[in-house]
């Protein structure tokens, strides 16, 4: 049989159901109920990866999310997932796994070269080595990433679907170990809506590997019974394979449910994973604890494991990961592993106990089995390369700080260690509760609750099963009561279970070596990132005192296990090096996510076309049919340009622009924001918001205004029309519409509630077609007979109500091109009809549809700014050479006015908007280019400003640009330069920002 | 993610429906032109940023579109009360 470590006792697995899988390209077999880790151990696989820095061979160390070494790439192609822990991957038929660490192979790799130089890579190695010369970083990084391997993300689209579910419950129980199960039962019987979630494939937690009897039943039978009991409650939702990975504000918790990951790499049907977004009235945390390994020399050799992991593989998975066990302990609890191993029929070489004269119940049971107990001893070093061959043990002093006698060597192939347990305080820590060190249990405990939660059982530092059951039941009843259910009294009798009295444990973290820590072989604290005890001591020698700094300097806790295994040991070693206790050294803060979460689950269905809404105008289909290329403006899809056959973008834009200048063009301007404003105080309100006054704007008239933030900087611009007395229509920029409406509401609601004025967004209610060019009037005259279009009666900045092709319309004579323009507004449902009528009417003038690119060129020729392109939130109207738009004599101090007088707003040398004309008429400046006076000056150059807009103007026959330049308005005629990254430079002359028709004769026509 | 009681809708709604409006109870000076640059800057830029009790504006943007005030503990993020613009908080002080 190839599975040489498979025991006859199957545990929770089904040995009749064989599953085939591959690891690093080789075929293996496991059984149903295995994790990838238990199957690898069953097959006697020792080396599963290489460490990140020293490329040391590493084996499976743990059995859950604390696993630091067995980091796997699962599957291939579009569904592959990197960086899963083999201890958390359920085996299925055909599973493909590969080590993420170890190129080209885990057993022989090129990083051995670096491994040989391990001594040359102290903590701070990355900072010290790679920061200089900076240029080489890319080379180093490429090499190290490739060699060390961080897994690879799929490059194709994920074929699976993911779901998000919003849930509410009264009591959320996190963890379905002994405490969680009874907590859920107590809450459930009150009628409260209960969700109980557990990250493992089945409920039970530590009981799944327990040999204790509960209520006279095996622990696993008791679990099965209570799980079934919970299932009978209609108010209980049971979620196995579901990790509560984050605890957020106001009792909002996120659960990742892995629905089909245990069935195959891709979901056979339905969503692969589901993210539950839960708002819970009350929470019971029953997340258990992690065993702490002892830190000793070469404790990272494959074959060194956690004591509880050895027991779990034996009892739950029916796998014995070795033959001859040496167990190193500081406590009674771990003696169970010696008993479990003894019953496999394999050899327990010795139990090495750091304490003198241990005599607890489990200790005596082990002694009775005839197992050698080395009291007052430490396991100081493991010997071996790709598998443990020997354990070196020696007597140590009572304080556990030095070796006091001769070293003896024990032949073995498996070392299990236990330095006690650390409460899994992660979720409590997410809430901001500050963990408290409790020396009596040698663990942090959850801090004072910041939210509606309580911890129960091992995650609270209550490590005995019986005590955990009592605490869990109380927590469940209390949570239900606070959520409004029941009286808070426990109803079910406490399960019967033998209480095992334990003698005190010893708080020992680093086992002393006969050499000093700095000279001893590496004693690893964080396996993933090769952080050793000596490295932490060195960090202290180099002056680091804060645990947060030491963590960053050494990278302790920065691997994908996030320090679940090593953080407490690291803190204890740091505390000792600083000559202080753990409590004074600080605490450990955990943040979401508890374990890595897939992007797929976070995104859910919000992908592809559902990622963000797209907004279309009523004319959209016409644009699509006419071959338009589109541009995203906010959520709007706007025609960018309308290329004809074989036309480049520049050719299309040249043609469209010339058509407007020489005959007539048509633009879909529907997307401009439109806010309907009504009320007796509307004019007063609008006048407070804009820089200029609207108090005397008569019905039928429009005015262009600029809106400032209170700091005096331009925020939006647009035209506002008086529709009738107390009724206005405000146009905003396309992107600014929502922000402007909120801005108006803010001031009306919070500052001037006495002003009677009402706002309604009508952007989507109207479709707008802009007809512009010298022939615009002729086109409009063909479709509109009830408006007198003569310039004297319908002038520039007027608007009229009338009928266009039989549809009631508002026609505005406003212009963003500098040409005679009519903006025809009709109810949105008539948009496409009116558009087509105008196209037809303009056919004889070759009316040309144009897009946003041509719109930009035409407005730049006129020097019209685009807020957000030519301004950036630091520009006043004066900076934009638009002082004319500021009403200096308005009675009310409009928003932003006072700031225009601030010393910084009136200082000399502010950047001002100017035009740039390149000396080479065909050279188009890059937008964003920096402006300098002398391109030959040394870098860093003295920068004078930057180019904000730049185009080639077909109607002018040369390129044009707008720029903001320090003191630019008084530098007309100067030559400036725009240097590029490649060393070239373009020279340009500072000119007026109005390139075309400076008198405005054409738009006023 | 916060759960916020809108005093206008009279319901708890998810934070996604709201946007933050900055410190509350900062009245715009009635005569800005009479203020020195320093006084104006104090109104314009300076906020209390306390550790503990903070009165702040929220905007029910995808709901009733009303601004309202909230008293929030900036350490725990607990919202102790919400109340209408133009009214005063019941809970004051600095410490939570
Ligand atoms: Zn509301």
């Amino acid at each position: 049989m190839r599975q040489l470590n498979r025991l006859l006792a199957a545990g929770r697995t089904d040995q009749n159901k064989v599953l085939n899988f591959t690891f690093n390209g080789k075929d293996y077999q496991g059984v149903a109920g295995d994790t990838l880790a238990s199957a690898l151990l069953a097959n006697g696989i020792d080396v599963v990866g290489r460490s990140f820095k020293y490329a040391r061979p590493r084996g499976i160390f743990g059995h859950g999310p604390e696993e630091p070494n067995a980091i796997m790439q699962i599957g291939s192609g579009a569904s592959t997932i990197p960086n899963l822990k083999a201890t958390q991957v359920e085996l299925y038929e055909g599973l493909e796994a590969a080590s993420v660490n170890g190129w080209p192979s885990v057993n022989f790799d090129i990083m051995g070269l670096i491994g040989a130089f391990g001594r040359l890579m102290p903590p701070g190695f990355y900072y010290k080595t790679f920061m200089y010369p900076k240029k080489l970083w890319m080379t180093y990084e490429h090499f190290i990433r490739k060699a060390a391997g961080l897994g690879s993300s799929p490059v194709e689209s994920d074929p699976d679907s993911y779901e998000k579910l919003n849930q509410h419950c009264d009591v959320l129980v996190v963890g379905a170990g002994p405490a969680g199960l009874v907590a859920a039962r107590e809450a459930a019987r009150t009628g409260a809506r209960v969700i109980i979630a557990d990250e493992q494939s089945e409920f039970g937690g530590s009981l799944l590997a327990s040999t204790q009897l509960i209520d006279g039943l095996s622990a696993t039978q008791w679990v099965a019974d209570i799980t079934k009991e919970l299932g009978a409650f209609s108010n209980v939702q049971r979620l196995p394979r579901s990790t509560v990975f984050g605890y957020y504000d106001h009792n909002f918790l996120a659960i990742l449910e892995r629905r089909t990951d245990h069935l195959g790499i891709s979901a056979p049907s339905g969503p692969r994973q589901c993210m539950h977004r839960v708002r819970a009235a009350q929470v019971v945390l029953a997340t258990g604890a992690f065993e702490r390994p002892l830190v000793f020399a070469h404790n990272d050799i494959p074959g060194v494991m956690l004591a509880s992991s050895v027991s779990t593989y034996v009892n739950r998975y029916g796998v014995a990961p070795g033959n001859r066990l040496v167990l190193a302990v500081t406590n009674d609890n771990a003696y169970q592993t010696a008993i479990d191993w003894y019953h496999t029929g394999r050899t327990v070489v010795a139990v090495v106990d750091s304490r003198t004269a241990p005599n607890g119940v489990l200790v005596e049971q082990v002694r009775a089995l005839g197992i050698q107990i080395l009291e007052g001893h430490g396991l100081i070093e493991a010997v071996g390369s790709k598998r443990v061959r020997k354990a070196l043990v020696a007597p140590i002093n009572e304080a556990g700080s030095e070796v006091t006698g001769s070293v003896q060597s024990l032949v073995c192939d498996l070392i299990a260690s236990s330095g006690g347990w650390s409460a899994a305080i992660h979720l409590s820590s997410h809430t901001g509760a500050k963990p408290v060190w409790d020396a009596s249990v040698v663990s942090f405990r959850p801090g004072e609750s910041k939210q509606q939660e309580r911890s129960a059982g091992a995650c609270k530092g209550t490590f005995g099963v019986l005590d955990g059951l009592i605490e869990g039941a109380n927590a469940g009843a209390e949570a239900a009561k606070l959520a409004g259910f029941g009286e808070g009294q426990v109803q079910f009798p406490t399960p019967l279970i033998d209480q095992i009295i334990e003698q005190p444990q010893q708080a020992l973290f680093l086992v002393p070596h006969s050499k000093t820590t700095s000279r001893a072989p590496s004693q690893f604290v964080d396996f993933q990132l090769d952080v050793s005890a000596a490295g932490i001591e060195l960090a202290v020698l180099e002056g680091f005192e804060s645990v947060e700094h030491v963590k960053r300097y050494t990278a302790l806790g920065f691997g994908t296990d996030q320090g679940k295994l090593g953080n407490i040991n690291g803190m204890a070693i740091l505390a000792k090096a600083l000559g202080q206790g753990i409590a004074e050294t600080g605490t450990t803060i955990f943040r979401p996510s508890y374990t890595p979460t897939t992007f797929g689950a976070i995104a859910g269905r919000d992908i592809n076309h559902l990622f963000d809404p797209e907004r279309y105008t009523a004319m959209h289909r016409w644009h699509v049919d006419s071959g338009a290329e589109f541009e995203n403006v906010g959520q709007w899809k706007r025609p960018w340009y309308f290329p004809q056959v074989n036309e480049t973008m520049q050719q299309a834009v040249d043609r469209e622009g010339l058509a407007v200048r020489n005959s007539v063009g048509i633009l879909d301007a529907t997307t401009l924001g439109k806010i309907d404003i009504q009320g007796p105080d509307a004019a007063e309100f609008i006048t407070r918001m804009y820089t200029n006054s609207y108090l005397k704007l008569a019905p039928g008239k429009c005015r262009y205004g600029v809106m400032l933030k209170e700091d005096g900087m331009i925020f939006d611009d647009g035209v506002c029309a008086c529709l009738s007395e107390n009724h206005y229509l405000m146009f905003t920029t396309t992107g600014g519409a929502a922000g402007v409406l909120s801005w108006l509401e803010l001031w009306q609601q919070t500052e001037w509630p006495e002003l009677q004025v009402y706002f309604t967004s009508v952007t989507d209610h109207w479709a707008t077609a802009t007809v512009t060019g010298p022939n615009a009037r002729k086109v409009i005259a063909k479709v509109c007979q009830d408006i007198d279009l003569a310039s004297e009666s319908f002038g520039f900045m007027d608007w009229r109500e009338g009928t266009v092709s039989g549809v009631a319309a508002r026609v505005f004579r406003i212009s963003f091109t500098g040409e005679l323009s009519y903006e025809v507004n009709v109810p949105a449902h008539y948009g496409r009809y009116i558009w087509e009528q105008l196209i037809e009417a303009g056919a004889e003038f070759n009316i040309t549809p144009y897009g946003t690119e041509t719109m930009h060129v035409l407005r730049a020729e006129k020097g019209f700014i685009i807020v957000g392109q030519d301004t950036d939130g630091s520009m006043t109207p004066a900076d934009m050479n638009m002082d004319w738009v500021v009403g200096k004599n308005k009675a009310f101090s409009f928003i932003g006015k006072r700031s225009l007088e601030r010393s910084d707003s009136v200082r000399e040398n502010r950047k001002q908007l100017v035009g740039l004309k390149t000396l080479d008429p065909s050279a188009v400046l890059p937008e964003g280019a920096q402006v300098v006076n002398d391109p030959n000056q040394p870098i860093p150059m003295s920068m004078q400003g930057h180019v904000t807009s730049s185009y080639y103007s077909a109607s002018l026959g040369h390129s044009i640009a707008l720029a903001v330049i320090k003191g630019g308005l008084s530098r007309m005629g100067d030559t400036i330069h725009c240097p590029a990254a490649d060393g070239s430079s373009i020279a340009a002359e500072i000119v007026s920002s109005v390139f075309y028709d400076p008198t405005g004769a054409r738009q006023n026509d | 993610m916060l759960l916020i009681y809108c005093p206008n809708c009279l319901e708890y709604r998810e934070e996604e429906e709201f946007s933050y409006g900055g410190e509350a109870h900062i009245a715009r000076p009635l005569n800005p032109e009479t203020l020195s640059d320093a006084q104006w800057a104090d109104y314009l830029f300076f906020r209390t940023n306390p550790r503990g009790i903070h009165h702040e504006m929220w905007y029910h943007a995808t709901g009733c579109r009303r601004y309202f005030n909230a008293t929030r503990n900036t350490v725990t993020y607990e919202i102790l009360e919400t109340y209408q613009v133009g009214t005063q908080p019941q809970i004051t002080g600095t410490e939570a």
Side-chain angles (χ1 to χ4, degrees), chain A residues 250 279 710 745 749 898, chain B residues 14 28 37 59 67 77:
Chain A
H250 296 189
R279 189 72 77 170
E710 190 73 296
E745 288 174 330
Q749 291 179 24
R898 173 62 185 82
Chain B
E14 295 288 331
R28 188 174 197 252
D37 270 12
Y59 177 47
Y67 281 84
Y77 285 16

Side-chain angles (χ1 to χ4, degrees), chain A residues 189-190 477-478 480-481 485-491:
Chain A
R189 66 104 205 146
T190 66
E478 176 194 275
K481 184 188 178 196
F485 297 85
E487 301 303 319
Q489 301 300 321
V490 170
Q491 296 295 312

Side-chain angles (χ1 to χ4, degrees), chain A residues 672-693:
Chain A
L672 276 189
K674 292 175 275 293
I675 302 170
D676 185 280
I677 302 176
Q678 301 190 41
D681 297 312
E684 172 64 24
F685 184 86
I686 294 167
T687 299
R688 292 182 185 188
M689 303 308 295
Y690 279 122
T691 54
N692 47 356
S693 178

Side-chain angles (χ1 to χ4, degrees), chain A residues 168 248-252 277 279 431 450-451 710-712 738 741-743 745-753 892-899 901-904, chain B residues 1-4 13-16 21 26-30 32-38 40-41 43-45 57 59 64-68 75-79 85:
Chain A
H168 295 264
Y248 306 93
D249 297 314
H250 296 189
N251 264 25
F252 181 80
R277 297 151 43 95
R279 189 72 77 170
T431 69
K450 301 288 183 192
Q451 299 207 34
E710 190 73 296
D711 62 3
L741 180 59
S742 299
W743 183 241
E745 288 174 330
L746 169 69
W747 287 97
Q748 195 278 324
Q749 291 179 24
T750 68
E751 203 68 43
W752 309 311
F892 192 90
S893 182
F894 61 84
I895 300 296
K897 182 184 182 194
R898 173 62 185 82
S899 290
E901 307 304 322
R902 291 179 60 234
S903 56
D904 189 63
Chain B
M1 194 161 70
L2 307 182
L3 190 64
I4 302 172
R13 308 295 294 181
E14 295 288 331
E15 184 183 336
E16 294 170 338
I26 295 175
R28 188 174 197 252
L30 291 175
E33 273 64 40
T34 64
L35 301 183
S36 67
D37 270 12
W40 180 248
Y43 156 71
L44 193 55
F45 299 120
M57 294 194 293
Y59 177 47
C64 59
R65 295 193 70 83
R66 298 293 297 178
Y67 281 84
F68 60 89
V75 179
T76 64
Y77 285 16
E78 187 183 359
I79 294 176
V85 166

Side-chain angles (χ1 to χ4, degrees), chain B residues 5-11 13 17-18 59-66 68:
Chain B
Y5 185 79
C6 173
N8 193 50
C9 296
L10 306 178
E11 274 188 23
R13 308 295 294 181
E17 296 188 7
F18 300 85
Y59 177 47
H60 198 179
T62 63
C64 59
R65 295 193 70 83
R66 298 293 297 178
F68 60 89

